[in-house]
Every structure is written in structure tokens, then in C-alpha cells.
Amino acid sequence: MAKSPQPLINGHRYGWSSISLSALGADTPGFVSINYKFTSEPGKVRAKGSRVIGTTEGEDDIEASFELLKSDAAKLIKALGPGYMKKKFDLKIEFGEEAEGEPIVVELFGCRMTTDDSSHSKGTDALTQKFDLHVM
């Protein structure tokens, strides 16, 4: 049996409590989800024949969304000010766990809200607000 690179007792891996989110340079403790996806679509170069003979650099895209507790969403909207969905801001996502060493940092620059979704229903969960983002 292969040995684990981390100790099985008191070994830590990234979990939900390992993530921190900053918006507008301030810690945002009331986030309940963060999603982002990087995609790259290379262009296909064809000449005579049916096979691809090369690629171009193509186009890169980033999709992102996050969900905040309703009160934190209100604070973010207030900080962005009137016309908040047209304002650009940066998001910093940090994954840190003492046993893992240096934290992993992901920065999303030039974020702009494209959707502000408030869907509430009866229940015991806290109210939240979801935002889809256009990322530069």
C-alpha cells in the first residue's frame, strides 16, 4: 500500500472554511458560494484537406458567479453606489490552510454584475442574493 504524502492524523486539506473572498479590497465573510471557470478556445487553421494543420491563440473567457447573505449583498451594492451593475470591481479568492503552506490566490479583475438574482422561499435558511459576473 502506498504511503500518503500527508499524515492521516491531523492532516488538513482545503475545505469550505479554507476559502476567503474579498470584494472592493474588503473581506466579505457572508459569501455562501463562489464559482468561476476559465476557458480557452483556440482557433483552428485549415488548408487543403480536412485536417487541422495548426491553431491560433484563440479566445480566452472567464465566467463567474457568487452568492452572498442578503445583508452582505446590500452592503456591496451600497459600496458600489447608484448604477451598481455597471460598476467594475475586483474579486480575490484565497484558499489557505496552515498545513498546506502558501495559500492559493485567484484574482478576478474588472468584474461587472450581469445578473442580480433574489429568489426567496419559506424555510429556515438565511436569505441570499446571487450575482452572475462578466469578467475582463
Side-chain angles (χ1 to χ4, degrees), residues 23-26 71-84 87-89 113:
L24 300 172
S71 57
D72 286 52
K75 290 175 190 173
L76 177 60
I77 290 169
K78 184 177 181 181
L80 288 168
Y84 69 96
K87 307 277 179 82
K88 291 183 179 160
F89 59 96
M113 294 177 187

Side-chain angles (χ1 to χ4, degrees), residues 92-114:
K92 181 178 179 182
I93 306 138
E94 193 167 327
F95 302 85
E97 201 51 70
E98 194 173 308
E100 293 287 341
E102 288 293 315
I104 296 170
V105 177
V106 176
E107 294 182 285
L108 304 177
F109 299 105
C111 298
R112 179 179 163 180
M113 294 177 187
T114 58

Side-chain angles (χ1 to χ4, degrees), residues 21-132:
L21 176 71
S22 300
L24 300 172
D27 188 38
T28 308
F31 75 99
V32 295
S33 73
I34 178 75
N35 305 291
Y36 55 91
K37 179 169 77 170
F38 299 94
T39 60
S40 183
E41 183 67 37
K44 296 176 183 177
V45 178
R46 297 179 189 271
K48 183 178 179 183
S50 61
R51 302 200 52 92
V52 173
I53 62 169
T55 61
T56 64
E57 188 172 315
E59 296 178 342
D60 298 334
D61 281 310
I62 304 169
E63 296 175 20
S65 65
F66 65 102
E67 190 171 1
L68 300 174
L69 294 173
K70 189 78 170 168
S71 57
D72 286 52
K75 290 175 190 173
L76 177 60
I77 290 169
K78 184 177 181 181
L80 288 168
Y84 69 96
M85 288 187 69
K86 296 191 182 326
K87 307 277 179 82
K88 291 183 179 160
F89 59 96
D90 298 335
L91 283 180
K92 181 178 179 182
I93 306 138
E94 193 167 327
F95 302 85
E97 201 51 70
E98 194 173 308
E100 293 287 341
E102 288 293 315
I104 296 170
V105 177
V106 176
E107 294 182 285
L108 304 177
F109 299 105
C111 298
R112 179 179 163 180
M113 294 177 187
T114 58
T115 305
D116 178 348
D117 181 10
S118 294
S119 301
H120 311 302
S121 60
K122 181 179 182 253
T124 58
D125 293 338
L127 298 180
T128 62
Q129 202 161 335
K130 184 177 179 184
F131 302 96
D132 292 320

